[in-house]
Amino acid sequence: METSTSKAKICGSTSKGIDRISGLPDDVLHNILSSLLIFDVVQLSLLSKRWKYIWTTMPYLHFDFDKFYLQRLKRLCDMEMTDKFKDFINWVLISQRATNLVRFLLIGDIYGIFDKVDILRWIHATTRRNVQELVLEFCLLEPFELPYCVATCESLQVLKLNLSGDILKLPNHLGFCQLKLLHLENVALSDQQLTICLFSKCHLLEKLILQECSLGALTLLDIASTSLIYVTFGNVYYKVESYGDCEVKLCCPNLKFFKYKQWRMQNF
């Protein structure tokens, strides 16, 4: 039976304030910090011994150059900023102890900030750690070939690509055995057969989003899938050759939601 004295001690300690967050399990802390950029999580390591290494086991790695740039705008020039950002990404990936990644997000929409070697190295690092969600937004000003390791990654469930209008080249072998959501934005699709194969090979794909994508080089976009339940196409900005003469054909018997939004010239 609990005595009144012990009750008073418990109440007293609570009223003084206990750092209950630091006492939480790692996976709970990871969820709490999952919406933060990784350099903010690293800065939290200064708070206490408990927080010192929590970033090294974070399964959510979010890198955003714009926000990284704004925080250091007065101290570094553009070239130094780019190098620092790349070095930071490499340092985090090398220092991390997490064996599995829930999400890897990379945003760098300033021309020339990344080169293809950098991007491929980081992508390979994430697929080796069984990434579940891969979000990439960059501009190379040249065609980007999706690495073979992404197409065959057995853990990947969500793939989001924003290439700022660059051409997406698909590998000859497509797997995507666990992919459930595919979101392509500002992507130019060029290979008709591989594009058709992409949708037919994803046997678990439930959600497909094509936003501001160019299909001008294709004559037929044939989407045949028994798993797709959500499909949306959208071009809200003026792009003369967005779809060109491409015919879009859907054969999705389990489809429950379909949305099509296209910019249209208004008569004045």
Side-chain angles (χ1 to χ4, degrees):
M1 180 175 178
E2 191 176 41
T3 65
S4 58
T5 303
S6 61
K7 286 183 179 179
K9 288 181 178 179
I10 293 174
C11 294
S13 62
T14 303
S15 63
K16 291 178 181 178
I18 298 176
D19 185 3
R20 298 186 183 280
I21 293 181
S22 294
L24 295 173
D26 281 3
D27 57 342
V28 177
L29 287 177
H30 293 157
N31 287 328
I32 293 174
L33 301 174
S34 62
S35 61
L36 297 180
L37 297 170
I38 189 61
F39 47 77
D40 291 327
V41 179
V42 172
Q43 288 178 337
L44 291 176
S45 64
L46 300 175
L47 293 179
S48 68
K49 292 182 179 180
R50 173 69 177 89
W51 290 80
K52 187 173 183 180
Y53 299 106
I54 194 66
W55 68 270
T56 64
T57 56
M58 273 290 291
Y60 304 90
L61 298 183
H62 299 171
F63 300 96
D64 187 323
F65 179 77
D66 281 348
K67 295 180 180 179
F68 185 90
Y69 182 91
L70 289 174
Q71 288 189 7
R72 296 155 180 82
L73 186 60
K74 296 180 180 179
R75 290 181 289 160
L76 300 171
C77 67
D78 289 349
M79 184 63 68
E80 290 175 323
M81 199 81 70
T82 300
D83 291 339
K84 288 287 186 182
F85 187 62
K86 292 179 181 179
D87 290 343
F88 178 73
I89 296 176
N90 292 329
W91 175 72
V92 168
L93 290 174
I94 292 173
S95 305
Q96 273 255 310
R97 294 181 293 167
T99 56
N100 296 302
L101 289 179
V102 175
R103 185 187 305 120
F104 181 84
L105 181 148
L106 175 66
I107 298 178
D109 50 3
I110 294 179
Y111 292 172
I113 178 176
F114 301 137
D115 58 42
K116 191 174 293 186
V117 175
D118 292 325
I119 294 172
L120 292 178
R121 180 172 63 250
W122 298 329
I123 290 176
H124 278 282
T126 62
T127 56
R128 285 197 299 267
R129 292 167 59 184
N130 303 312
V131 64
Q132 296 178 32
E133 181 176 347
L134 188 60
V135 182
L136 304 173
E137 182 176 329
F138 55 83
C139 179
L140 290 177
L141 296 177
E142 62 176 297
F144 175 71
E145 183 170 355
L146 194 68
Y148 177 81
C149 63
V150 174
T152 57
C153 182
E154 296 184 355
S155 61
L156 190 63
Q157 299 181 28
V158 176
L159 178 60
K160 298 180 182 180
L161 294 177
N162 185 333
L163 301 183
S164 300
D166 290 340
I167 294 174
L168 175 63
K169 298 176 67 176
L170 298 169
N172 290 325
H173 180 79
L174 293 170
F176 293 118
C177 60
Q178 296 296 324
L179 194 66
K180 296 181 179 179
L181 188 156
L182 177 62
H183 184 156
L184 301 180
E185 183 172 353
N186 289 309
V187 170
L189 297 170
S190 59
D191 192 305
Q192 182 164 301
Q193 293 304 317
L194 285 178
T195 301
I196 294 174
C197 184
L198 170 64
F199 305 125
S200 62
K201 290 285 187 179
C202 300
H203 299 301
L204 297 182
L205 188 65
E206 298 177 352
K207 191 171 184 178
L208 173 65
I209 300 173
L210 299 179
Q211 185 175 351
E212 306 302 331
C213 289
S214 172
L215 308 178
L218 279 63
T219 58
L220 174 65
L221 181 63
D222 189 353
I223 301 175
S225 171
T226 57
S227 60
L228 271 175
I229 59 176
Y230 180 106
V231 174
T232 178
F233 297 120
N235 281 334
V236 297
Y237 298 108
Y238 177 51
K239 294 182 179 180
V240 176
E241 298 297 333
S242 58
Y243 286 171
D245 296 324
C246 181
E247 177 185 353
V248 179
K249 180 180 177 182
L250 287 176
C251 182
C252 306
N254 294 312
L255 193 66
K256 296 181 179 179
F257 180 92
F258 176 77
K259 180 179 180 180
Y260 177 83
K261 189 172 184 179
Q262 175 66 36
W263 188 94
R264 185 174 62 180
M265 180 75 76
Q266 300 292 328
N267 294 324
F268 293 98

